[in-house]
Amino acid sequence: MPEFDWRSPESFKSLENAEITEIAWVGLRMNVDYQRDYDAIIANSSDGGVTEEFRRRWGLCFRP
């Protein structure tokens, strides 16, 4: 596994063209509280989906 040097600008070259939403999504998926909440909501879902409350809590819905 290559070593990641967070201080090196070269380490972030792949992010130059990334959308902010892509970066935010990766950060959210790495959040332990989000993972726990997602697992719980899916386990209790009759249709395998998330609720509107879950989307609002985690910023996954936007006002027009």
Side-chain angles (χ1 to χ4, degrees):
M1 173 184 252
E3 189 170 319
F4 181 78
D5 180 5
W6 64 269
R7 295 180 193 124
S8 168
E10 290 300 313
S11 295
F12 294 95
K13 281 286 188 197
S14 63
L15 297 176
E16 285 182 340
N17 298 319
E19 295 287 330
I20 190 67
T21 53
E22 295 170 325
I23 296 169
W25 179 236
V26 170
L28 182 60
R29 287 190 335 223
M30 293 171 59
N31 182 307
V32 176
D33 293 328
Y34 171 83
Q35 293 171 10
R36 186 175 21 252
D37 199 16
Y38 178 82
D39 290 342
I41 202 89
I42 292 300
N44 294 313
S45 173
S46 61
D47 64 358
V50 297
T51 63
E52 191 65 29
E53 177 188 347
F54 175 87
R55 288 187 190 102
R56 271 196 298 279
R57 183 178 328 140
W58 291 103
L60 300 174
C61 60
F62 305 94
R63 295 182 185 195

